[in-house]
C-alpha cells in the first residue's frame, strides 16, 4: 500500500523528497561502503535534483544510475543522463559515480545486453529508487502502449529495450523486478494534469492501462508518493 504525502507545491515536494532520499542514503553509508541511487528523468525531477545536490552526503561513495533512458547520446537535449549530470551531479555531488544506461552500441537491444554485467555489479539492494509518472501512466520507460510492456513487468533480466509508439525515441528501461531491488521507492508527481491520473492509478484497474500501478500495488518495497497539485 503506497503512502501518499501531499505538499503545497512542486518545490516543497521536491525539498521534502530530497531530505527523505538523503536520509535514506546516509543510513546506508553509515553501515556500508557504497550505495546506489536510481533516478528518473523527464521534467519533474529538476527541483528535486537541485535540492538533493545541496545535501551533505558522502557523495564520493554514491553510485547514481537511471531508471530509464531515451535512446539518444548524452549531448542530445532529451538525454536523461545529461539532465542528471546538469542538475544533480554538481558541486560536491559531482563526486558521485554515474553509471549511464546509454552507450555507443548499434541498437538499444545491444546496449541492454552490454548493461547486464554493469548492472549486476552494482550493490543490492539499491539505497533508493526515485520514479516519475508520465501523463500516460508510464513509469521508468514501461509504457502502456509498448510491445515490451509485459516483458518489462515480468522479466528477471535487469534492463530491456523498449519501443513505445507514443514516444519520440526508443528507450532503455530497468525492469520492474530490478526497480524493486531497493530498500525504498519514491514516486514524485506534480501538476494538475497528473492529479486525476494519480487518483486513477491509486484506484482499481489493470496494470497494463497504467503501468505505474505495478509500483504502487506491490508490497515488497515501501513506496511513498511525493505529490503536489
Ligand atoms: O520520459 C520520461 O517520462 C517520465 C515522466 O517524466 P515527466 O517529464 O512527466 O516528469 C520519467 O519518469 C522518465 O524517467 C522519463 O524518461
Amino acid at each position: 500500500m503506497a503512502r501518499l504525502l501531499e505538499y503545497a507545491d512542486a518545490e516543497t515536494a521536491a525539498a521534502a523528497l530530497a531530505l527523505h532520499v538523503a536520509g535514506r542514503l546516509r543510513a546506508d553509508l553509515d553501515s556500508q561502503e557504497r550505495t546506489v541511487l536510481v533516478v528518473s528523468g523527464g521534467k519533474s525531477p529538476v527541483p528535486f535534483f537541485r535540492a538533493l545536490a545541496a545535501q551533505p552526503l558522502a557523495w564520493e561513495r554514491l553510485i547514481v544510475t537511471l531508471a530509464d533512458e531515451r535512446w539518444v547520446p548524452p549531448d542530445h537535449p532529451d538525454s536523461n543522463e545529461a539532465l542528471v549530470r546538469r542538475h544533480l551531479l554538481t558541486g560536491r555531488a559531482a563526486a558521485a559515480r554515474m553509471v549511464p544506461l546509454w552507450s555507443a552500441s548499434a541498437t538499444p537491444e545491444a546496449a541492454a545486453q552490454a548493461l547486464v554485467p554493469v548492472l549486476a555489479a552494482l550493490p543490492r539492494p539499491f539505497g533508493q529508487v526515485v520514479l516519475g509518472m508520465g501523463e500516460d501512466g508510464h513509469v521508468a520507460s514501461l509504457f502502456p502502449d509498448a510491445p515490451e510492456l509485459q516483458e518489462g513487468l515480468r522479466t528477471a533480466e535487469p534492463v530491456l529495450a523498449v519501443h513505445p509508439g507514443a514516444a519520440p525515441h526508443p528507450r532503455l528501461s530497468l525492469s520492474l523486478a530490478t526497480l524493486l531491488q531497493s530498500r525504498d521507492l519514491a514516486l514524485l508527481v506534480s501538476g494538475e494534469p497528473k492529479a486525476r491520473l494519480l487518483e486513477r492509478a491509486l484506484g482499481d484497474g489493470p496494470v497494463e492501462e497504467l503501468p505505474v500501478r505495478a509500483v504502487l500495488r506491490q508490497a515488497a518495497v515501501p513506496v511513498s508518493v511525493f505529490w503536489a497539485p
Side-chain angles (χ1 to χ4, degrees), residues 1 77 82 96 98 104 114 140 145 206:
M1 175 78 173
M98 172 89 195
D145 72 337

Side-chain angles (χ1 to χ4, degrees), residues 62-163:
L62 209 73
I63 301 167
V64 178
T65 192
L66 286 159
D68 69 308
E69 180 59 285
R70 290 92 181 260
W71 186 241
V72 293
D75 59 357
H76 190 285
D78 293 344
S79 164
N80 283 341
E81 176 186 342
L83 186 91
V84 169
R85 290 192 188 278
R86 192 174 327 121
H87 298 290
L88 176 60
L89 302 183
T90 60
R92 287 188 55 198
R97 180 184 150 218
M98 172 89 195
V99 175
L101 299 188
W102 186 86
S103 62
S105 304
T107 61
E109 285 75 11
Q113 271 307 310
L115 276 167
V116 171
V118 176
L119 295 173
L122 298 182
R124 303 286 204 285
F126 302 141
Q128 177 77 55
V129 171
V130 179
L131 297 166
M133 177 181 75
E135 291 186 8
D136 57 0
H138 77 263
V139 69
S141 276
L142 304 175
F143 281 74
D145 72 337
E148 302 86 356
L149 176 61
Q150 287 304 328
E151 183 191 349
L153 295 173
R154 292 170 205 282
T155 185
E157 291 297 319
V159 61
L160 66 154
V162 181
H163 299 267

